[in-house]
């Protein structure tokens, strides 16, 4: 079973920001799990302005805001898996997930940020 220092569940802006913050704090072994085909979350659909003033100092559309975070994840080399559905999280931080590439698999997380997990 693969062990990861930090698993972030959810590749929307909150999950991306959490992963970026962890990397900026010095953590290297980070994995983002996202159930959609691409990172970015709901903001990809929010085409109006009003995002980004506090974080980036300029007014951005939802997709522009999301892609700023996505670009940072790419440039920092943070690992991610898209099209991945988290099925269960155990009390000892074993994550059961499934996708078309890996099939069913388990991960052991030392730390966990469950941004979009519901049960």
């Amino acid at each position: 079973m693969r062990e990861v220092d930090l698993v972030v569940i959810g590749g929307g802006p909150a999950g991306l920001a959490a992963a970026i913050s962890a990397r900026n704090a010095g953590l290297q072994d980070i994995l983002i799990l996202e159930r959609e085909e691409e990172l970015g979350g709901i903001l990809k659909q929010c085409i109006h302005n009003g995002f980004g003033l506090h974080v980036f100092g300029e007014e951005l559309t939802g997709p522009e805001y999301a892609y700023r975070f996505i670009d940072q994840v790419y440039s920092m080399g943070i690992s991610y898996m898209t099209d991945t559905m988290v099925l269960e999280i155990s009390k000892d931080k074993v994550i059961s997930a499934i996708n078309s590439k890996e099939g069913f698999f388990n991960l052991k997380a030392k730390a966990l940020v469950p941004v979009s997990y519901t049960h």
Side-chain angles (χ1 to χ4, degrees):
M1 178 180 345
R2 178 178 172 193
E3 188 168 315
V4 181
D5 288 339
L6 175 65
V7 175
V8 177
I9 300 173
L16 298 173
I20 291 164
S21 293
R23 176 57 56 84
N24 286 336
L27 200 60
Q28 295 301 309
D29 189 17
I30 303 166
L31 176 63
I32 301 168
L33 300 178
E34 170 56 46
R35 68 180 168 202
E36 299 293 329
E37 292 180 15
E38 59 185 54
L39 299 172
I42 193 70
L43 286 180
K44 296 176 294 186
Q45 300 172 25
C46 300
I47 59 172
H48 57 83
N49 289 338
F51 300 96
L53 287 173
H54 296 291
V55 177
F56 297 111
E58 60 183 299
E59 194 169 294
L60 303 168
T61 65
E64 291 170 332
Y65 183 70
Y67 287 119
R68 293 277 179 101
F69 285 118
I70 293 167
D71 288 343
Q72 287 181 42
V73 165
Y74 292 163
S75 68
M76 293 176 154
I78 298 172
S79 298
Y80 61 92
M81 297 173 89
T82 56
D83 284 324
T84 301
M85 176 65 84
V86 172
L87 303 172
E88 183 178 20
I89 302 171
S90 73
K91 290 181 181 182
D92 58 348
K93 299 183 193 103
V94 173
I95 300 158
S96 298
I98 191 166
N99 65 29
S100 60
K101 183 177 179 183
E102 310 275 333
F104 179 83
F105 62 95
N106 289 313
L107 297 168
K108 171 72 172 145
K110 291 181 183 175
L112 182 63
V113 178
V115 177
S116 68
Y117 176 75
T118 59
H119 54 286

